[in-house]
Amino acid sequence: MKFITGFFMAWGNFITLPCPYKKWDGQLKNMMLAFLPSVGLVIGVLWMAIFWLLVYLQLPPILISFTMLFYIFAVCGFMHMDGFMDCNDAILSRRPLEERQRILKDSTVGAFAVVTVAFLLLGWFASVQEAIYHITYVDLLILPVVSRGVAGMSVLTYKPIGHSQYVEDYKEPGRGKYRAAVALQMLIVIGVVIFLGRHAVKTLICAAVIAITAFFACAYARKQLGGMSGDIAGYTICISELAGMIALAII
């Protein structure tokens, strides 16, 4: 029963789609994070279905690209984009650490957030516009699963910033089992995509690009902001998914 609760806690917290089972247990927050790849799979399956429908309807490529781009941010309530913007406001301010942490918590949108999110969306639109001509539907499962897997692994591994909502959860013993669960889910999805798409090299390259980009983006943000947080997880997801889509556009 705990697994069901943990999964739907992740669904309700990280997806804007109606949650079939609404129950919250504050003691299962680490388990909730462990289900982030499964949440990514739900997002990816629906993304794949939307792409199939848009192609079936023979809509103009520019409308397909816009819809694909809008969905991946809207399905999460723009939560990860918010973290991306907050982190950029703080990091690019080049202020002392305490001031950067204060800016991270500030709900005011600064110039750095606006500029960087504009480039994020431009990069996404350009890469989707190219990728839609040669990707297979199952390729779309890789991006949300691996990006959320690495982000969840990071929250479960690294010490949080003092004001982070995950401070108390970091003290829970036995967090290694949750990290193992995250890794297992990612490996299963990658294996399924390779089996269905039959493009092992392409899939592995895309997954590696996402994972490596996420690792370094998260490491950079943690260094600049003095620890891990939900905002940094969102920052990591946005950057790594863009890297994955660029990889799909190029390969």
Side-chain angles (χ1 to χ4, degrees), residues 35-47 141 144-145 148 189:
F35 277 111
L36 271 171
S38 293
V39 166
L41 182 60
V42 173
I43 292 170
V45 168
L46 184 55
W47 202 21
L141 298 179
V145 170
R148 281 158 182 77
V189 172

Side-chain angles (χ1 to χ4, degrees), residues 1-245:
M1 196 64 182
K2 287 184 177 181
F3 295 104
I4 296 174
T5 300
F7 171 72
F8 283 110
M9 280 172 60
W11 180 314
N13 203 43
F14 299 113
I15 311 180
T16 55
L17 301 173
C19 185
Y21 177 75
K22 297 181 180 180
K23 184 176 180 180
W24 183 266
D25 186 340
Q27 296 182 341
L28 298 180
K29 287 171 70 176
N30 282 328
M31 183 179 291
M32 174 188 73
L33 292 171
F35 277 111
L36 271 171
S38 293
V39 166
L41 182 60
V42 173
I43 292 170
V45 168
L46 184 55
W47 202 21
M48 186 173 63
I50 290 171
F51 183 42
W52 177 87
L53 179 62
L54 295 172
V55 172
Y56 178 78
L57 294 174
Q58 298 183 346
L59 294 182
I62 195 168
L63 291 181
I64 295 177
S65 299
F66 170 77
T67 305
M68 296 290 287
L69 166 60
F70 177 78
Y71 165 80
I72 198 64
F73 290 106
V75 73
C76 307
F78 302 97
M79 177 191 303
H80 306 313
M81 182 184 286
D82 177 68
F84 173 83
M85 295 172 72
D86 287 343
C87 285
N88 280 309
D89 257 346
I91 293 170
L92 296 177
S93 70
R94 297 178 176 84
R95 304 285 181 85
L97 177 59
E98 290 184 4
E99 182 67 8
R100 293 198 297 270
Q101 291 181 344
R102 184 198 66 77
I103 294 172
L104 184 66
K105 293 170 58 180
D106 192 343
S107 60
T108 304
V109 177
F112 293 122
V114 175
V115 171
T116 53
V117 81
F119 279 108
L120 175 74
L121 294 175
L122 284 170
W124 256 99
F125 187 79
S127 55
V128 173
Q129 181 79 350
E130 176 61 30
I132 59 174
Y133 291 105
H134 54 81
I135 60 173
T136 59
Y137 297 116
V138 292
D139 290 334
L140 296 174
L141 298 179
I142 292 293
L143 275 71
V145 170
V146 177
S147 64
R148 281 158 182 77
V150 177
M153 188 87 74
S154 299
V155 177
L156 288 165
T157 301
Y158 301 111
K159 185 176 181 180
I161 298 173
H163 65 254
S164 171
Q165 60 180 311
Y166 299 113
V167 170
E168 292 301 319
D169 306 295
Y170 182 73
K171 301 174 183 177
E172 181 183 337
R175 289 156 61 90
K177 61 185 178 183
Y178 298 122
R179 293 192 289 269
V182 170
L184 179 61
Q185 290 169 79
M186 288 194 291
L187 289 173
I188 289 173
V189 172
I190 291 171
V192 169
V193 172
I194 290 174
F195 176 75
L196 295 177
R198 303 189 185 282
H199 298 290
V201 174
K202 177 182 177 181
T203 300
L204 291 173
I205 290 175
C206 182
V209 167
I210 297 169
I212 293 169
T213 303
F215 176 82
F216 283 107
C218 185
Y220 172 72
R222 292 198 320 273
K223 181 178 180 181
Q224 293 295 317
L225 297 171
M228 190 63 198
S229 73
D231 282 332
I232 293 175
Y235 174 87
T236 299
I237 289 170
C238 286
I239 292 178
S240 61
E241 284 186 340
L242 173 60
M245 185 55 72

